[in-house]
Amino acid sequence: MAPSEAPSEAPSGTPEFSGWSCPVPLRDHPRVVMGHGGGGAMSAELVENVFAPAFGGPVLAALGDSAVLELGGARLAFSTDSYVVRPLFFPGGSIGDLAVNGTVNDLAMSGARAAYLSCGFILEEGVETAVVDRVARALGAAARAAGVEVATGDTKVVEAGHGDGVYVNTAGIGLVPAGVDIRPQRAVPGDVVIVSGEIGLHGVAIMSVREGLEFGVEIESDCAALGGLVDAMLAVTPDLHVLRDPTRGGLAAALNEIAAAAGVGVRVGERAIPVPPPVANACAVLGLDPMYVANEGKLVAFVPREHAEAVLAAMRAHPLGARAAVIGECVTEHPGMVVARTPLGGTRVVDLPLGEQLPRIC
Amino acid sequence: MAPSEAPSEAPSGTPEFSGWSCPVPLRDHPRVVMGHGGGGAMSAELVENVFAPAFGGPVLAALGDSAVLELGGARLAFSTDSYVVRPLFFPGGSIGDLAVNGTVNDLAMSGARAAYLSCGFILEEGVETAVVDRVARALGAAARAAGVEVATGDTKVVEAGHGDGVYVNTAGIGLVPAGVDIRPQRAVPGDVVIVSGEIGLHGVAIMSVREGLEFGVEIESDCAALGGLVDAMLAVTPDLHVLRDPTRGGLAAALNEIAAAAGVGVRVGERAIPVPPPVANACAVLGLDPMYVANEGKLVAFVPREHAEAVLAAMRAHPLGARAAVIGECVTEHPGMVVARTPLGGTRVVDLPLGEQLPRIC
């Protein structure tokens, strides 16, 4: 790789903004690097150049958090995630909570209420069975809290040095209610952009416990299942356009993916984005932007303007949406691009992150 | 642990044969060992003592290869497996082929034709992207061959030294045809036990390439998708009682699980079990029993006696069942136990294996 094409160059360095494109051709990455798992441009590049051509198929091509498909007359959402978070237990949750809530939330982002989960463990030889038990109990409790049943499972064991204690994969299925069609492509200019609460808590919680950093108060992950919140929003109108849970890559990645998928511009006001003081402090110390920090119990919604006020009210009436806020709008200008108004009145482009600021946060 | 309670003691050493019980209490395994992933008694112990209490739920309790559940009026089979096979590519297949065929086959064992797969990769930092690409292509090709669509996916990356190149999880969903109720509990005395072809090929193929052993001829894995074969059998009668693909733990584990789940005895004739000469030779050299060696393209069926001849004929007319054979019957004697008649006219108990003869074969 020529030095001038260093992979650390941000996506904004290219003239091309049309979504899943990436400035770093895969041929310049002969080996997988951590950033390929970060949920940003490098992950997208892997999907575009490797997985999509290999698997084909119209469903995968939609690239939402979950696939919506027809089977036996039922309209189902189907999604999977593997969980490799380090450490396994952190303030506000564990890999077991994440494994349920992450997949339940991916289904909820299609408007589906999760019904059944599969659960695959990859255990490392030598991990304490008490640790496995604690993870399993957390997973079971989270499933009961989310109203989803673990229906099928699998366990593999790999030799010491080929895992990291416990990896978990869950896949989930749920029913998509009639008349609901929620996907990134449906964002249209005029849509109001709402975030369900304070951002950055999960990433900062992981960071603080992993790096032994202290920011005055203990910061807890926001890890939670969003099915009930989405149900409350759908009760106002089935015509929600887009829902996305801003996990890896944070709010910035979620907004960029939506802008790219729908070919619209997104304009947000930095001041309108709820950032809790401990997250703001931690980000200031570490030189991070809260918009890029992962969340595990938040969603961003693109809502038709006529329904926005009622949807916002319904969100605020739900415990997981109490701090919901309008943060911006969908515009015709700068299609595929996310622009933020800074507190000083300027504007800046919010890029799709290349990788993840912190690996293995979920 | 007292020396007299060594975990290498076989399950037959206990007076208790009621299925998922295990002679080695989990408290004697404070840490996970390779055998917990072997699909035998130790895996069952982990399910019984850790996962089942943590997750609860009537569906998981059924413990079949796949769960059968109702959703939106559709009767679905749902299953998952993680694949950690070493090496990634082996004679007759790859981890990509396994990841499709293994899950497709688990669905087929409920009589369901796989419709959609999810696919989660855990990549190790530093693995060549060309290797990931080759795995993805193999997976895509296997999916097309099996008529199943990869609908949704996920990629995580872990640091070098915390994975082994590529781990893959797939979950699958498929429709169970009306009138079909195939599960281990349905085995009844009088059922004829049929195996779809020659056993032991997958395990011996992996062993030969991993250990650099040569047995005169190259032995190829039997890795294949069994949906079409099952369809051919269902065309004869929807009333197949049990189907099971004898993967980890081989034919011995599959028959023991069925005997235990249904509370019936199983009697097989060793001479009737098709063991190809290269597998027999390899097992003789290595001191293995072919009944314990893994298969990835075979099934064992428990069929009502009145349909057995027609089902066997339908299997033999299918390319994947050409060498199908009746190997035994289901009996009222010795409930929960599998007994084999030896070629010399004696009988022996075929135990549920404790772990797996060879780790990471799928």
Side-chain angles (χ1 to χ4, degrees):
Chain A
M1 186 183 352
S4 62
E5 299 169 358
S8 58
E9 191 184 353
S12 61
T14 63
E16 174 77 85
F17 265 100
S18 60
W20 294 99
S21 70
C22 174
V24 187
L26 205 64
R27 64 176 177 275
D28 286 343
H29 283 293
R31 290 180 185 275
V32 168
V33 298
M34 295 305 293
H36 283 120
M42 291 176 69
S43 291
E45 183 197 40
L46 203 58
V47 171
E48 185 179 279
N49 290 304
V50 176
F51 296 128
F55 302 159
V59 179
L60 186 70
L63 286 171
D65 278 337
S66 52
V68 176
L69 42 90
E70 303 272 342
L71 196 56
R75 196 155 153 259
L76 304 178
F78 185 30
S79 185
T80 192
D81 265 318
S82 298
Y83 299 87
V84 298
V85 66
R86 227 169 20 96
L88 296 176
F89 306 94
F90 48 82
S94 71
I95 191 172
D97 300 281
L98 274 182
V100 170
N101 295 337
T103 297
V104 163
N105 291 351
D106 280 346
L107 297 176
M109 298 307 108
S110 294
R113 192 65 183 256
Y116 295 101
L117 289 182
S118 68
C119 180
F121 283 86
I122 300 178
L123 305 179
E124 184 183 15
E125 180 188 25
V127 65
E128 292 173 29
T129 47
V131 169
V132 180
D133 189 58
R134 195 171 155 209
V135 169
R137 281 174 202 277
L139 198 155
R144 282 186 290 277
V148 64
E149 185 177 336
V150 180
T152 185
D154 174 59
T155 306
K156 294 294 191 302
V157 179
V158 294
E159 302 88 344
H162 290 292
D164 203 359
V166 180
Y167 295 148
V168 186
N169 175 285
T170 53
I173 52 177
L175 277 179
V176 182
V180 169
D181 178 22
I182 301 172
R183 50 193 165 88
Q185 293 81 358
R186 288 199 67 218
V188 291
D191 281 355
V192 173
V193 180
I194 303 175
V195 70
S196 65
E198 295 177 323
I199 67 167
L201 288 161
H202 178 72
V204 170
I206 295 288
M207 212 172 312
S208 64
V209 64
R210 196 189 298 171
E211 311 298 340
L213 302 173
E214 295 192 10
F215 305 110
V217 295
E218 181 175 88
I219 300 173
E220 290 206 344
S221 169
D222 58 342
C223 186
L226 296 170
L229 177 63
V230 171
D231 284 353
M233 298 166 71
L234 287 172
V236 174
T237 172
D239 192 29
L240 305 174
H241 286 171
V242 187
L243 296 174
R244 196 93 175 178
D245 56 336
T247 55
R248 286 180 291 179
L251 191 57
L255 294 176
N256 268 282
E257 286 163 15
I258 296 164
V264 297
V266 174
R267 193 175 286 164
V268 296
E270 280 193 2
R271 224 194 276 265
I273 298 170
V275 180
V279 169
N281 292 343
C283 286
V285 168
L286 298 169
L288 301 176
D289 181 336
M291 286 188 74
Y292 290 87
V293 178
N295 313 275
E296 289 292 342
K298 297 299 180 304
L299 63 81
V300 58
F302 283 54
V303 180
R305 187 164 297 273
E306 64 271 27
H307 300 302
E309 200 173 326
V311 168
L312 184 65
M315 292 172 77
R316 286 184 172 161
H318 191 279
L320 293 176
R323 306 292 297 268
V326 171
I327 61 167
E329 61 187 337
C330 193
V331 297
T332 50
E333 295 86 357
H334 53 78
M337 202 185 296
V338 179
V339 171
R341 270 191 315 281
T342 68
L344 298 177
T347 60
R348 67 177 176 108
V349 172
V350 179
D351 289 327
L352 180 65
L354 196 61
E356 163 63 48
Q357 295 170 319
L358 188 72
R360 296 184 54 186
I361 50 86
C362 63
Chain B
M1 187 185 346
S4 64
E5 296 168 4
S8 58
E9 191 184 355
S12 60
T14 62
E16 173 78 86
F17 264 96
S18 61
W20 294 99
S21 70
C22 176
V24 188
L26 204 64
R27 63 178 179 274
D28 285 343
H29 283 294
R31 293 180 183 275
V32 168
V33 298
M34 295 305 293
H36 284 120
M42 291 176 70
S43 292
E45 185 198 38
L46 203 60
V47 171
E48 184 178 280
N49 290 305
V50 177
F51 296 129
F55 302 158
V59 179
L60 186 71
L63 287 171
D65 279 337
S66 52
V68 175
L69 41 90
E70 301 273 340
L71 196 54
R75 195 154 154 260
L76 304 178
F78 185 30
S79 185
T80 192
D81 266 318
S82 297
Y83 298 88
V84 299
V85 66
R86 225 168 22 95
L88 297 175
F89 306 95
F90 48 81
S94 71
I95 191 172
D97 300 281
L98 275 183
V100 170
N101 296 336
T103 298
V104 163
N105 291 351
D106 280 346
L107 297 175
M109 297 309 108
S110 294
R113 192 65 183 254
Y116 296 100
L117 289 183
S118 68
C119 180
F121 283 87
I122 300 179
L123 305 179
E124 184 183 16
E125 180 188 24
V127 65
E128 292 173 29
T129 48
V131 168
V132 179
D133 189 58
R134 195 173 155 207
V135 169
R137 282 172 202 277
L139 198 156
R144 283 186 290 278
V148 63
E149 185 176 333
V150 180
T152 185
D154 174 58
T155 306
K156 294 294 189 304
V157 179
V158 294
E159 302 88 344
H162 291 291
D164 203 359
V166 180
Y167 295 149
V168 186
N169 174 285
T170 53
I173 50 178
L175 278 179
V176 182
V180 169
D181 179 22
I182 301 173
R183 49 194 166 86
Q185 293 80 358
R186 287 199 69 218
V188 291
D191 281 355
V192 173
V193 180
I194 304 175
V195 68
S196 66
E198 294 177 324
I199 67 167
L201 289 162
H202 178 72
V204 170
I206 295 288
M207 211 174 311
S208 63
V209 64
R210 195 191 296 170
E211 310 298 339
L213 302 174
E214 294 191 11
F215 304 110
V217 295
E218 181 175 87
I219 299 173
E220 292 208 340
S221 168
D222 58 342
C223 185
L226 296 170
L229 177 63
V230 171
D231 284 354
M233 296 165 72
L234 287 172
V236 174
T237 172
D239 192 30
L240 304 175
H241 286 172
V242 188
L243 296 174
R244 196 92 176 179
D245 56 337
T247 56
R248 287 181 290 179
L251 190 58
L255 293 177
N256 269 282
E257 286 161 19
I258 295 164
V264 296
V266 175
R267 192 176 287 164
V268 297
E270 280 194 3
R271 225 194 276 266
I273 300 170
V275 180
V279 168
N281 292 343
C283 286
V285 168
L286 298 168
L288 302 176
D289 181 338
M291 284 189 76
Y292 290 87
V293 178
N295 312 274
E296 290 291 341
K298 297 298 181 303
L299 63 80
V300 59
F302 283 54
V303 182
R305 188 165 296 272
E306 65 269 28
H307 299 301
E309 198 173 331
V311 168
L312 183 66
M315 293 173 76
R316 287 185 171 161
H318 191 280
L320 292 176
R323 306 291 297 269
V326 172
I327 61 167
E329 61 186 337
C330 193
V331 296
T332 49
E333 294 85 357
H334 51 78
M337 203 186 296
V338 179
V339 171
R341 270 192 315 280
T342 67
L344 298 177
T347 60
R348 65 177 177 111
V349 173
V350 180
D351 289 326
L352 181 65
L354 196 63
E356 165 59 51
Q357 295 171 319
L358 188 73
R360 295 182 57 185
I361 51 87
C362 64

